[in-house]
Structures are given as C-alpha cells and as structure tokens.
Amino acid sequence: MTTTVTPPDTAQSLTLDKLVKTYSSRGRESFQAVKGIDMAIRPGELVALLGPSGCGKTTTLRMIAGLETVTSGSIRIGDREVSQLPAAKRGIGVGFESYALYPPMSVRENLLYGLKARKVKGAEQMVDSISRRLEMDDMMGLRPAGLSSGQKQRVALARALVRNPPVLLLDEPLSHLDASARQRVRRELKVLQREFGYTTIVVTHDQVEALSLADRLAVMDAGVVQQFGTPDEVFDDPANLFVAQFVGEPQINVLHGVARAAGGAVRVEIGSGAGALDTTVTGVADGTKVTVGIRPQDCVIGSATGNGIRVTVAYFEHLLEFGLATSTVAGIEEGIVVQTPAAESYEPEQQVTLSAPAERVYLFDSDSGERLR
Ligand SMILES: Nc1ncnc2c1ncn2[C@@H]1O[C@H](COP(=O)(O)OP(=O)(O)OP(=O)(O)O)[C@@H](O)[C@H]1O
Ligand SMILES: [Mg+2]
C-alpha cells in the first residue's frame, strides 16, 4: 500500500545533554527523577526507552515535548535549542494517551481537525491511509466517548502520526491492545516510522516490544540511562548487572563466585568444590569475590573437560521450542536455569556438567554491579 505523503526532506537529530528534572512539591523534599541524561539520537532513528516503573521515562519524554519544565541541561532538535520553547513551537508529535479529543467530533473528524486548520494538502488521504494501516476502519465514525481504551490509544497514535512531525514521542503507545493487535500495530508503526523518517522515542516496559522496534535501546534505571546501544550490544555486552538482569528472557542467571588467576584471564569458582568456569576477564585479582552472570541460552550441558561446574537438575520443563532445566549447585542457594535444545530431556536428580563459552560468562563488581572486563 502506498501513501500520498512525502517524508520530511530532512529528518532531524535529537540531542539531550545533561538533562535533569527535580520535582519540588510543597511540604515534601525535592526529588530528582531524571539525573543527567545524555543521548544523541540520529535523524530518523527509533530509540526505545526501556526501564522499570518510576525510573523517569515519562518525565524525560514530557521534558522533550515541552509539557514539563527542564531543571537543567539542554534539548536540541537539529542544532536548535528547544528546552525553553513552548511545546507548540518545538515541532514535536506527541502520542500521549491523555491527549484530549473533541467529544462532539468523530474519530475521523478529530484526526482531520488540526490538519485542516493548517490547510495541509492531502489531509484526507493521509488520515485514511494511516488509520487503515492502524486497523482503525471500524472506529472512524465513532465519537471518543464510545471508544475502548485500546481504540483510544490507536487514535492518539494516529493523531501524532498524521501530523508528520520531525520528532515523535510515544509513551507506551500499545499497552492497551490485545496481544495479536499489538503485534500487528507494532509492525505497522515500525514500517510507518521508516517510511516517514520521524526521529522517534518509544517508551515501553515491554522488552520484546523494545527489541522489535528499536534501532537503539536506552535502558534506564533510577533516573539514569544505564546503557544506550543496539539491542544486540545491550544483550551481548551488558554494561552492568542491572542491564544484564533487565534485558533477556528467561532472565540471566546470577551467581556468586571467586575469581582465580589462571594465566591471563581468570576462572571463576562457583559453590563449594562444584568446579569453575573460564572467562575472558583479565582485570580482576585472584581471590576477588565477584557476581557472575550467565544467560540460560549460553549454558551448555555436557561432559565438559576441566571447564565446567557439576550441577543437579532439580526440575525440567519441556516447552515447545526448547527446554528449561533448573539446576542446583552444591554450596550455593541460587538455582541455575539452562535453556536446552528441544530434543533433549533431563530427569530430576540427574547430575550433569554445565559450562558456557568463556566470552559469555560475565563478571560484575559485587558491590557496584559494574561490569568487570
Ligand atoms: N509531578 C510530579 N511531582 C513529583 N514527583 C513526580 C511527578 N511526576 C513524577 N514524579 C516522580 O518521578 C519519578 C519518575 O516518574 P515517571 O512518571 O517519569 O516514571 P516512569 O518511568 O514513566 O514510570 P512508569 O513506567 O510507571 O510510567 C517517580 O518516582 C514519580 O513518582
Ligand atoms: Mg511512565
């Protein structure tokens, strides 16, 4: 399907520099929700902002949109500083759900309203095309009061898209859709974003959504961007324990171990006499207590020679495309989840040896959680 719209001739970069937000409410201590974010988003790039509830995602988006004042720092679109401009002058499209619709107008009229006021050419085709692609045909004649939350969400999204903004900010745009519509609309959103070239930030809790949409992923916690990189970089090379635990399904295994010098890179001893795992880490002294991260997908069960730890399978789940063996190690409390090939099967109490490629055994500082390399 084609649209009659031409993409913006110059997609714009979006640059955040030391962006800070401190909320001060009367009678309460002030609270720093965003603690100095730096991010350079390329023209036409889609960045997913992923992080737990309360980490400052919405606050960051609202500051960029001009719906919240900036305590300090700068926001640039292209080379234009916008942090002190009113929202309407920033040229940003915002798909926040709370955005008001006009109650007496139909969805279609609502979507056309702003475009007609600005005498945008091809407004009708644009609205019809985008609404069709977001599967909104059956709701175009309805009034806002008659919409479900998933429908309202699509109207908010369509409304942001039809304006064809150089910068698009979406806060949990698909959270109320059912699983299958969510997948389809997600795909369409990505296609539209590519086609129109909006520089986009999408906030989401959902890592599958973040991974599938994003050119780059910003993982945020406690007001700080913990890592900003492609989905593969974030998954394969986590900057710290928080990122390693937040991204990846099933969750990464976290164990406690002791580093042992082994000529060059250290080996890490796990449990009491269960064995050791090779690593590629060189910057840790012999005897250092470390936190070890190993993804279930990277664990290999087999008769390893030398490299590996002896574990006991506690239970085994056969899922469709793979199995999950939850295992215990003598001397430590934490279980280890191993993702196994679909054809394999394990019994409770079975003793096996578990290993992982050295470069996939991550070590973290036990106090700070920072990656040790
Ligand atoms: N107007 C406000 N006044 C005071 N504190 C606020 C205000 N708005 C947000 N906060 C606080 O700032 C922090 C970040 O909130 P924010 O809404 O940005 O989080 P979020 O990452 O979007 O979370 P969620 O995933 O739940 O939407 C929270 O601790 C929140 O309580
Ligand atoms: Mg939020």
Side-chain angles (χ1 to χ4, degrees):
M1 201 182 306
T2 56
T3 56
T4 54
V5 196
T6 43
D9 38 3
T10 47
Q12 301 264 20
S13 62
L14 172 63
T15 313
L16 312 181
D17 244 330
K18 302 187 179 61
L19 194 61
V20 171
K21 177 66 191 184
T22 306
Y23 286 114
S24 46
S25 31
R26 246 180 304 176
R28 245 188 56 180
E29 273 179 67
S30 64
F31 174 73
Q32 199 169 60
V34 173
K35 300 178 183 165
I37 289 189
D38 297 315
M39 245 195 301
I41 303 177
R42 298 176 195 122
E45 190 173 30
L46 194 159
V47 168
L49 192 54
L50 178 70
S53 190
C55 73
K57 304 181 296 295
T58 297
T59 302
T60 302
L61 234 53
R62 288 177 57 85
M63 281 195 283
I64 301 170
L67 302 172
E68 192 69 72
T69 58
V70 167
T71 306
S72 64
S74 107
I75 303 169
R76 289 194 304 282
I77 296 177
D79 45 25
R80 201 163 57 104
E81 174 65 43
V82 300
S83 61
Q84 305 305 320
L85 293 181
K89 296 224 164 122
R90 295 191 186 190
I92 289 178
V94 179
F96 296 142
E97 236 175 288
S98 53
Y99 230 107
L101 297 171
Y102 301 103
M105 295 185 190
S106 70
V107 167
R108 187 163 190 276
E109 288 161 343
N110 264 288
L111 292 176
L112 280 170
Y113 185 77
L115 301 180
K116 284 197 163 161
R118 288 185 293 139
K119 300 195 164 54
V120 172
K121 272 192 239 146
E124 311 239 339
Q125 292 97 309
M126 169 83 130
V127 164
D128 290 339
S129 157
I130 287 186
S131 57
R132 196 175 315 119
R133 292 171 66 172
L134 298 179
E135 304 185 14
M136 296 169 61
D137 284 348
D138 56 345
M139 65 178 96
M140 294 302 277
L142 301 178
R143 302 267 167 87
L147 299 176
S148 73
S149 55
Q151 290 175 321
K152 278 195 191 122
Q153 216 167 22
R154 268 173 288 169
V155 177
L157 179 58
R159 194 157 113 149
L161 293 174
V162 296
R163 294 176 178 198
N164 197 7
V167 173
L168 177 67
L169 305 175
L170 302 173
D171 195 351
E172 306 266 0
L174 311 174
S175 57
H176 297 314
L177 304 186
D178 66 59
S180 90
R182 193 170 173 155
Q183 217 174 55
R184 294 192 306 273
V185 173
R186 180 174 85 202
R187 206 172 300 137
E188 206 54 54
L189 171 59
K190 178 81 184 177
V191 173
L192 283 163
Q193 191 269 339
R194 281 267 178 280
E195 205 170 293
F196 288 86
Y198 335 101
T199 304
T200 306
I201 303 182
V202 180
V203 163
T204 175
H205 277 99
D206 177 344
Q207 59 163 305
V208 174
E209 192 160 294
L211 294 170
S212 74
L213 281 173
D215 298 311
R216 281 191 295 170
L217 199 60
V219 184
M220 195 167 171
D221 186 40
V224 175
V225 171
Q226 306 285 333
Q227 188 167 4
F228 184 35
T230 64
D232 284 344
E233 282 164 1
V234 170
F235 185 79
D236 292 331
D237 197 11
N240 57 38
L241 185 59
F242 175 83
V243 173
Q245 289 187 286
F246 201 77
V247 179
E249 177 63 39
Q251 224 186 17
I252 195 167
N253 295 297
V254 176
L255 310 165
H256 298 284
V258 179
R260 291 292 169 213
V266 299
R267 311 189 76 207
V268 57
E269 277 177 12
I270 308 284
S272 46
L277 294 168
D278 288 336
T279 76
T280 56
V281 177
T282 51
V284 184
D286 183 72
T288 309
K289 287 188 177 160
V290 291
T291 300
V292 185
I294 319 169
R295 296 203 182 278
Q297 297 88 343
D298 294 328
C299 293
V300 180
I301 288 179
S303 52
T305 48
N307 176 34
I309 52 177
R310 285 173 296 286
V311 305
T312 307
V313 176
Y315 61 90
F316 180 71
E317 301 158 86
H318 229 151
L319 305 176
L320 284 177
E321 288 152 17
F322 54 85
L324 290 179
T326 303
S327 316
T328 57
V329 189
I332 63 170
E333 274 175 39
E334 305 99 333
I336 305 181
V337 176
V338 181
Q339 186 169 315
T340 61
E344 290 178 13
S345 184
Y346 297 89
E347 297 298 326
E349 302 300 321
Q350 194 173 338
Q351 313 268 324
V352 296
T353 303
L354 185 158
S355 64
E359 71 278 7
R360 309 290 300 186
V361 178
Y362 306 124
L363 301 190
F364 302 96
D365 185 288
S366 285
D367 296 320
S368 69
E370 284 308 307
R371 180 84 178 276
L372 302 170
R373 294 173 186 276

